[in-house]
Amino acid sequence: MSSEHEYVTEKVRSFEAEGARVAPGDGRAGRQVDLLQTASLRLGDKAPDFTQDSTQGPIHLYEWMGDSWAVLFSHPADFTPVCTTELGMVARLKQEFDKRNVKVIGLSVDPLFRHDMWAHDIAETQGVELNFPLLADADRKVAQLYDMIHPNAHATETVRSVFIIDPKKTVRLIHTYPASTGRNFDEVLRVIDSLQLTDDHKVATPANWKAGDDVVILPSIRNQEADKLFPKGYRELKPYFRMTPQPNIEPAE
Ligand code: BEZ
């Protein structure tokens, strides 16, 4: 089995032979990261806007999102096994994101030609085409804006960051996983379900909640108001702790 470097070099050679335009070098050698401009993002902050190249052409984030939600997620590097499974999983879940009015966009600091070559491997090994854009953030513009490089974990590669951004362009979730741990994208969908539900109803979702389970009524709502807001009724376990069926679905037959 060849090393990653030999494998990618061979891929570049055959890509060139097919007439594809390839940037000189592999775009990953000797990179230095200037992290002085890195911002620290928090929940409730405005998501930084950007324009960057992607596998689906240049993307201007706000324009691309329109009135949708977005999941922006980084992975450490192309041609790595865990990342390959993650991108395959997101591609398989595309319809679930679509159903929730969510656009997904991946990122690593690899150049476009590597993304394009790697996409063939994703299709071959995961049985699904890359059906969402991957940002080619070789100049680290987006990685720095979103603080995706954690130098004490890895000097140059992005960690596994996830940002959920709502249609008003507000950051609603940030989570960060180490390079060695592939993410659970069902959890990303679960958080989106919770955010979209709790934006519209005066409820919050308990531990391990999933769509359809009972929810908790916000402690700030007095019983008199809860009686009107939750016609399906509620159970009062403590004065601050009331459970009610999920308000926006019909009860199961
Ligand atoms: C991977 O995607 O397989 C991976 C990337 C960086 C470190 C470890 C694993």
Side-chain angles (χ1 to χ4, degrees):
M1 175 62 72
S2 63
S3 69
E4 187 253 359
H5 180 75
E6 287 165 345
Y7 177 75
V8 175
T9 304
E10 179 48 37
K11 280 271 229 189
V12 171
R13 211 175 287 130
S14 58
F15 207 64
E16 282 176 316
E18 284 170 26
R21 198 174 62 78
V22 173
D26 79 352
R28 291 178 56 86
R31 295 180 307 196
Q32 291 296 312
V33 182
D34 172 9
L35 291 171
L36 293 176
Q37 301 299 315
T38 294
S40 171
L41 271 182
R42 293 179 176 165
L43 299 189
D45 288 354
K46 198 58 120 185
D49 200 9
F50 58 78
T51 302
Q52 184 59 288
D53 282 341
S54 87
T55 48
Q56 295 185 4
I59 284 195
H60 179 68
L61 180 73
Y62 282 15
E63 212 171 85
W64 174 78
M65 282 179 66
D67 293 329
S68 301
W69 292 66
V71 171
L72 167 65
F73 69 101
S74 58
H75 64 270
D78 296 356
F79 299 105
T80 50
V82 177
C83 301
T84 304
T85 62
E86 285 193 330
L87 295 207
M89 181 56 70
V90 173
R92 271 194 293 279
L93 290 173
K94 173 83 167 32
Q95 283 187 332
E96 292 299 320
F97 288 105
D98 289 345
K99 265 201 277 187
R100 293 161 174 82
N101 187 31
V102 179
K103 292 184 174 179
V104 283
I105 186 162
L107 172 153
S108 75
V109 294
D110 292 79
L112 197 52
F113 79 91
R114 283 180 65 103
H115 283 350
D116 287 339
M117 291 190 301
W118 186 38
H120 296 289
D121 289 2
I122 294 168
E124 183 188 322
T125 64
Q126 305 302 300
V128 59
E129 294 287 334
L130 194 62
N131 52 12
F132 59 91
L134 255 194
L135 293 171
D137 196 39
D139 62 2
R140 292 140 181 95
K141 183 166 51 182
V142 182
Q144 291 184 19
L145 275 175
Y146 281 80
D147 196 17
M148 290 165 165
I149 296 175
H150 297 191
N152 292 327
H154 193 287
T156 55
E157 291 179 351
T158 39
V159 290
R160 298 188 196 278
S161 294
V162 180
F163 295 86
I164 297 179
I165 303 168
D166 73 16
K168 292 182 181 153
K169 317 297 182 288
T170 302
V171 175
R172 301 295 300 275
L173 167 133
I174 301 172
H175 82 199
T176 311
Y177 273 51
S180 51
T181 306
R183 284 158 287 195
N184 184 335
F185 287 92
D186 289 336
E187 169 63 3
V188 176
L189 288 166
R190 190 188 77 89
V191 177
I192 291 164
D193 284 340
S194 172
L195 288 169
Q196 294 183 343
L197 173 70
T198 58
D199 276 357
D200 291 341
H201 298 275
K202 292 185 173 172
V203 298
T205 57
N208 285 27
W209 173 87
K210 54 187 182 342
D213 291 350
D214 288 356
V215 299
V216 300
I217 298 173
L218 290 182
S220 58
I221 304 299
R222 304 178 88 92
N223 279 355
Q224 206 181 10
E225 192 184 352
D227 292 340
K228 291 192 201 114
L229 289 175
F230 303 103
K232 293 174 192 166
Y234 54 87
R235 285 173 288 125
E236 183 168 318
L237 286 84
K238 292 285 175 193
Y240 61 87
F241 183 4
R242 293 153 299 174
M243 301 284 299
T244 189
Q246 183 174 325
N248 61 345
I249 55 168
E250 293 307 314
E253 291 288 306

